[in-house]
Amino acid sequence: MHLGLDQIMEAYHASFHNRNIINRQAKISEQGLKFKVISLLYNLLLLVKVFIALFQKRLNSKERIFVSWSPLHSKLAKKIGEENVIEIKMGLHDDQTALYKSVSVVKAFQAARLVTTMNSKREITGFDNFFFAFAFGLESQMIFNLIRNSRNVLMAGQVDRFSILLSVLCRDMGKHFTFVQHGVNNQFDNLYKLRVDEIYYLFEISIPFFGCFVLEADKQIYKPIPQVKPNFEVCDTYENAIAFASQFMVEDLRILDVLIEHWKHGDILIYPHPTEKNLDYFRKYTAVSNVHITSKRIKNIKYIFSSGSTLGMEYDLIGVVPVFINLHKISSEIFLSQKYICFNDIDSFQEWFVSEAKK
């Protein structure tokens, strides 16, 4: 079987269809010229990989492969016992450049030209341009070559381009496709849905909510991911501590403002998101003596607060109370399950927290 332009087109349009839906609900605006420049630079990186790959051997294929594009995904692979994990990264290491062996620049150009001339099939936003479509054409071929000789393909992802591309290719290539849950199941209407054969789930309450982005979710085989319960350790450095888990959204700092204003008799830990590199938003808070930025998850905290972090669900498994504030009005298993303490606005949360802080 050869990779067809129609498959690239389906995956590309589905990817940006989903992205548009999520961006509208999260109120993320177009990036315009900025994203075009980023896309162009990304093109150059991929073209360098394609060139270097001309002088390399193709990666050995495996019958069973876990495709990852995040360290978080790779950790999940280990939890379910998967050893052959291919993690796609930005770098130019040998294992990353060899992925682009036998990738055609001409086919990528053809795909990008088709995408940009068929405007009726997509919404045109600042996240959608010829340069990114060209990069998508290169990536599509890379993924196709990677899984060509595999019978079983696993991945962790929901609505992003690699998960959609893998779903399309595994469907058409007749491969067994496994989805591994990697976070909260946020609920959005009218998403392009993944075709999967089985699902590994993190939390039992998640099972009723996979239908948002998986076809025929009620007919799937569900398997629990082992070792979900975190092995966080007690730390004597902090006393009477609570924690704030960042969701990578600036508006969430309103939660942190409430915590710092009213929690005077204990420590406040700021947990940046694992993918969060710029911590400048949090620096000003550390001027307060009881506020600390740390990536170390500790067991002896009283509450963990967030706008919807999976970390809160993990802490619930060890008896720490998670509190969720739905600042972004997102429907998710957290707010729909009625299992957790939840608030729909910052004022009602603050009223509750002030009374808790006085206890």
Side-chain angles (χ1 to χ4, degrees):
M1 177 183 174
H2 298 286
L3 175 63
L5 290 176
D6 56 335
Q7 293 166 312
I8 299 176
M9 293 285 286
E10 178 184 351
Y12 184 89
H13 290 312
S15 173
F16 281 88
H17 168 78
N18 283 2
R19 192 166 187 168
N20 286 332
I21 289 173
I22 294 169
N23 287 346
R24 281 199 301 269
Q25 186 157 332
K27 297 179 181 179
I28 299 175
S29 60
E30 297 182 10
Q31 294 191 36
L33 180 60
K34 178 182 177 181
F35 191 70
K36 285 185 179 180
V37 173
I38 293 173
S39 301
L40 176 58
L41 294 175
Y42 187 55
N43 267 338
L44 296 176
L45 173 65
L46 295 187
L47 288 172
V48 170
K49 291 186 178 185
V50 171
F51 177 75
I52 295 175
L54 293 173
F55 308 97
Q56 294 179 296
K57 293 182 179 180
R58 188 188 301 274
L59 293 177
N60 292 329
S61 59
K62 300 287 185 179
E63 185 172 298
R64 188 177 179 90
I65 183 174
F66 191 109
V67 182
S68 166
W69 48 99
S70 164
L72 295 176
H73 298 170
S74 300
K75 288 180 181 178
L76 284 171
K78 293 179 180 179
K79 285 187 176 182
I80 61 173
E82 295 299 323
E83 297 181 356
N84 189 43
V85 181
I86 301 295
E87 187 173 321
I88 302 168
K89 303 175 184 177
M90 294 284 287
L92 292 173
H93 301 292
D94 288 348
D95 63 327
Q96 296 301 309
T97 53
L99 289 170
Y100 286 83
K101 184 75 174 178
S102 303
V103 167
S104 168
V105 174
V106 173
K107 177 171 280 192
F109 180 83
Q110 291 173 335
R113 187 172 63 178
L114 275 175
V115 166
T116 52
T117 56
M118 297 179 69
N119 295 344
S120 61
K121 290 193 175 183
R122 77 191 200 285
E123 288 186 52
I124 303 176
T125 74
F127 296 95
D128 186 8
N129 58 64
F130 176 87
F131 300 120
F132 199 87
F134 181 80
F136 192 92
L138 296 175
E139 292 175 330
S140 299
Q141 296 175 73
M142 177 270 289
I143 293 291
F144 177 83
N145 292 337
L146 180 62
I147 68 172
R148 184 201 295 267
N149 297 317
S150 300
R151 295 180 61 184
N152 297 279
V153 179
L154 302 91
M155 68 94 201
Q158 293 177 331
V159 297
D160 41 16
R161 66 186 189 279
F162 284 133
S163 60
I164 292 171
L165 183 56
L166 283 164
S167 177
V168 169
L169 294 180
C170 287
R171 178 198 68 195
D172 294 350
M173 298 168 78
K175 300 183 183 299
H176 190 272
F177 187 47
T178 301
F179 168 75
V180 182
Q181 183 186 10
H182 73 293
V184 174
N185 288 334
N186 292 322
Q187 304 293 290
F188 298 94
D189 294 330
N190 302 317
L191 289 177
Y192 177 94
K193 297 183 180 183
L194 307 177
R195 198 284 306 173
V196 304
D197 294 296
E198 64 180 357
I199 296 172
Y200 277 94
Y201 63 89
L202 279 168
F203 311 101
E204 194 167 345
I205 67 165
S206 303
I207 294 176
F209 300 101
F210 281 101
C212 172
F213 55 89
V214 170
L215 289 168
E216 299 184 318
D218 58 329
K219 299 178 182 179
Q220 299 302 322
I221 299 171
Y222 288 93
K223 299 179 179 180
I225 297 174
Q227 303 173 9
V228 172
K229 189 173 181 178
N231 58 346
F232 302 151
E233 298 179 357
V234 172
C235 177
D236 296 329
T237 304
Y238 310 109
E239 296 182 357
N240 197 31
I242 60 175
F244 164 77
S246 172
Q247 283 287 90
F248 223 165
M249 296 183 182
V250 176
E251 188 178 353
D252 288 3
L253 295 179
R254 295 168 64 193
I255 300 171
L256 190 53
D257 290 334
V258 171
L259 301 182
I260 292 173
E261 181 180 355
H262 299 286
W263 194 259
K264 304 296 186 181
H265 53 288
D267 290 300
I268 301 172
L269 310 182
I270 298 174
Y271 287 155
H273 190 275
T275 60
E276 206 162 10
K277 305 301 181 184
N278 185 358
L279 304 183
D280 289 345
Y281 291 122
F282 306 128
R283 301 295 184 197
K284 64 179 182 180
Y285 293 105
T286 57
V288 182
S289 61
N290 66 330
V291 179
H292 318 275
I293 301 173
T294 178
S295 59
K296 183 178 181 180
R297 301 344 187 186
I298 69 168
K299 186 176 182 178
N300 52 314
I301 61 174
K302 187 174 182 180
Y303 294 107
I304 180 164
F305 302 89
S306 76
S307 64
S309 172
T310 308
L311 188 59
M313 300 172 75
E314 293 177 359
Y315 262 108
D316 178 69
L317 297 175
I318 61 172
V320 174
V321 179
V323 178
F324 301 102
I325 304 91
N326 195 4
L327 295 180
H328 311 287
K329 302 299 182 285
I330 293 177
S331 297
S332 75
E333 60 194 45
I334 286 174
F335 300 107
L336 296 174
S337 68
Q338 299 182 339
K339 175 179 173 61
Y340 306 108
I341 298 175
C342 297
F343 298 93
N344 289 320
D345 58 77
I346 198 70
D347 292 333
S348 58
F349 160 65
Q350 179 167 309
E351 181 180 352
W352 172 86
F353 184 69
V354 168
S355 64
E356 287 297 305
K358 292 178 180 178
K359 293 180 180 178

